[in-house]
Structures are given as structure tokens and as C-alpha cells.
Amino acid sequence: MQSLSLEFLRVTESAAIAALPWVGRGDKISADDAATTAMRNALNTIPMRGRIVIGEGEIDQAPMLYIGERLGKGGFAEVDIAVDPIEGTTPTVNAQENAITVIAAAPKGKLLHAPDMYMEKLAVGPKAKGKIDIEASLIENMKAVAEANGKDISELNVVVQNRPRHAEYIDQIRKSGAKVQIFNDGDVIYAAATCMEHIDIDMFLGIGGAPEGVLSSVAIRALGGEMQAKLKPQDDLELNRCKDMGIDNPEGVLKLDQLVESDECIFIATGLTDSFLLNGIKCSGRSYTTHSVLIDGKDKQLRYIESEHKFETVIQTV
């Protein structure tokens, strides 16, 4: 997997550059289509036998790298891929913060194979690993995380996405005396940030997309944190799709090693617009500068990578 790291970096960089012309233009479908096409083209140049095990598109009815799609130009490496060509289409088309292009990969059979549906998620950093239980109450989990992190509950910083379904969570957290950091888009980087010591986030929770959950889980495992999740089937069709993909108990608890089963995993995200974690793409003269994060589960390293892309080269490859 490590030998493919720079190849996957090129995938997220290509997708971000392809989507850049659509920043601020209000057209989600065209932005996602541009990123998806660039990502697919780049993936098909990699010497691997890749398969999308969970991807975006079914909830939003957007262009997609569809679940089960085979990618790569062949070779010995058999790779499972989780992907979101644009994580944050709304901030992209509104020229707002927190839009990224993101991919995660692991050896064949090591990433959760599931439909694109809703998922409940709870994530914490390394100090609180082994202390959380998604089936326990929110307050019980907060007390456990506060103790593990050496904090009073009033000092906790909990991030929650700004959605009506999370209003009760936000109310409970505030009544406990803890702080709530509310965000609109980009739950992948907020979940992963629980494991980054330079960012003051103690806990992430909420209900969002399953692809984003699997993507987050790779970063969290690679950085030594913990995540638990539960799929949220909305009807019998979604239940049956889960079972068809080998999930015997679709509404059961998914521990981290069920979301991603191997330390030999890679997470890469490239900033499309600025965020608290990554700079967006910058244009200067006849080149683009991209800013990416690469997290390698084997060596437990987080790397920030800045790359310059000549305009002529981009036109030829995207």
C-alpha cells in the first residue's frame, strides 16, 4: 500500500483541480461530475486491481464512482477503495470553506463494503481509545472521554454537524456544560481531527453518510484513535442491500476493526477550498498549488504535502 501512496495523492489532487472551475458557480452536479471523472481517470492509471467498496452518489443522486466499480490498469495489488470526489459540494459551489477531495484504501477485503446510506458515528482520539460505547448515553460517553483526556466535562470540545436531527445532541452537550463546535459541511476532516493533537477536538458524533464514515475510520485507525458506528437503514430495501453485501446485522454496532480491518491503510485528502486543516487550491501565473494530508496506517505518520502543478501538465492529465 505504501508504494501506491503518491499514486493516490495524484488522484485527489487531480479531482480537486478539475473541480476548481466550479467553485462558487452553484452547480453541484457539474462540480461533482468534473471531480469524479478526473478521479476515475487517475485511478485507472494506477498499477493495481482496485474496487470501490463504498462511494458517494446514491444519497445525492449525483455522478458517482459506483460501488463495485473496478479500477486500475492491473497488477498484483488488490485494493479496496472508499471515495468521495468532493466532500462538501455545497461549500464548493458556494465558494465556502471545508471542501476537500478524499480517498482511502486498504488491501482487498479490509474495508467495510456497504451501501451509500446513513450512519451514526462516534469518534475520539488515542487517549480515549477503549473508553467509548455508541450504545451508551451521550453523557456517559462524555464523562468517559473527559476522564481519559484529563479534563473536566466543562472543558470538552465536541463537534457536531449543523443538522435538525442533531438538535437534541447539541442541547444535551450544552446543558452538561461542555462546548459544542457546530459545523455545516465536512464531517470527514472533523472526525479525523479528534486524533490530531494540535487541534482541540475531544469527540465527534452525529448521523451522516456511510462513505464518509468509512473514510474517517481509516484516518482514525491510522492515527491510533477509535470510532464506532451503526448503519441507519431507512426501509426494507436498504436492509436487504446491506445483507446482500454481507452485513448480517445491518443495525448492529460496527467497531473500528469492522470498518477498517488492517493497519496497512492509507488516507489522503486534498483541499479544494480553505479549511481548518488544509489550504484550498491557489493559482499563480501558470500553475496551481495544492495542499494535501497523507496519513499512513503502517508507519502511523501524518504528512502535509504541498505540490505545484504546471497549467500545461494539468490540461493534459485531467
Side-chain angles (χ1 to χ4, degrees):
M1 294 301 302
Q2 286 182 312
S3 66
L4 298 176
S5 294
L6 292 182
E7 299 276 10
F8 287 122
L9 173 63
R10 184 168 55 84
V11 170
T12 59
E13 290 174 339
S14 296
I17 291 169
L20 183 62
W22 298 101
V23 171
R25 297 191 182 275
D27 187 343
K28 289 184 179 182
I29 300 299
S30 294
D32 210 26
D33 188 33
T36 299
T37 299
M39 191 168 270
R40 177 180 284 114
N41 290 343
L43 284 165
N44 277 327
T45 68
I46 298 176
M48 67 171 183
R49 287 180 286 164
R51 180 184 65 142
I52 303 292
V53 295
I54 191 164
E56 61 89 38
E58 295 175 30
I59 289 176
D60 296 332
Q61 295 300 308
M64 68 181 77
L65 281 157
Y66 62 86
I67 296 168
E69 182 172 357
R70 303 285 177 172
L71 297 157
K73 64 178 184 180
F76 292 107
E78 294 187 88
V79 181
D80 280 357
I81 299 167
V83 65
D84 198 342
I86 300 180
E87 220 275 274
T89 51
T90 297
T92 296
V93 301
N94 291 329
Q96 297 170 328
E97 294 185 342
N98 287 342
I100 61 172
T101 60
V102 58
I103 193 168
K108 181 181 177 181
K110 301 302 182 183
L111 291 184
L112 178 70
H113 182 41
D116 186 355
M117 60 190 298
Y118 286 106
M119 174 186 276
E120 182 181 356
K121 314 162 198 177
L122 177 63
V124 293
K127 291 179 181 178
K129 184 176 182 179
K131 306 298 183 182
I132 58 171
D133 180 357
I134 199 169
E135 295 194 297
S137 71
L138 174 55
I139 297 302
E140 287 175 310
N141 278 303
M142 290 174 63
K143 288 178 178 177
V145 172
E147 183 178 355
N149 288 350
K151 292 184 174 184
D152 185 83
I153 198 166
S154 65
E155 298 174 293
L156 282 184
N157 188 23
V158 185
V159 292
V160 184
Q161 191 172 24
N162 185 20
R163 295 291 185 269
R165 60 182 177 268
H166 297 149
E168 186 176 347
Y169 293 152
I170 293 167
D171 187 52
Q172 286 185 53
I173 295 165
R174 285 178 172 159
K175 284 181 177 178
S176 76
K179 297 175 287 184
V180 182
Q181 182 176 341
I182 297 174
F183 68 95
N184 287 318
D185 297 278
D187 69 351
V188 171
I189 55 174
Y190 278 98
T194 58
C195 300
M196 301 175 189
E197 290 189 7
H198 65 289
I199 299 172
D200 182 26
I201 294 176
D202 298 294
M203 180 189 295
F204 168 96
L205 78 153
I207 298 171
E212 289 82 0
V214 175
L215 287 160
S216 302
S217 73
V218 173
I220 289 165
R221 176 163 185 146
L223 294 174
E226 183 176 3
M227 179 175 176
Q228 294 182 11
K230 294 176 72 173
L231 293 170
K232 307 290 286 185
Q234 302 298 297
D235 50 37
D236 288 341
L237 178 61
E238 289 194 343
L239 277 170
N240 291 332
R241 287 169 60 213
C242 288
K243 292 176 181 178
D244 289 342
M245 291 185 181
I247 302 171
D248 295 328
N249 182 13
E251 296 176 291
V253 174
L254 294 165
K255 299 294 182 67
L256 184 59
D257 61 2
Q258 293 171 284
L259 297 166
V260 52
E261 297 180 34
S262 173
D263 287 333
E264 195 175 349
C265 55
I266 295 169
F267 172 95
I268 301 174
T270 297
L272 176 52
T273 62
D274 288 340
S275 70
F276 70 93
L277 184 64
L278 293 167
N279 298 325
I281 299 176
K282 302 296 186 288
C283 300
S284 178
R286 297 186 63 82
S287 67
Y288 301 103
T289 299
T290 58
H291 190 219
S292 305
V293 60
L294 189 159
I295 304 174
D296 187 319
K298 192 171 183 180
D299 64 14
K300 307 298 183 186
Q301 290 292 316
L302 183 155
R303 297 177 175 88
Y304 287 103
I305 300 171
E306 188 172 275
S307 305
E308 184 177 303
H309 310 261
K310 297 298 183 184
F311 182 79
E312 295 82 357
T313 305
V314 170
I315 292 298
Q316 292 172 8
T317 58
V318 172

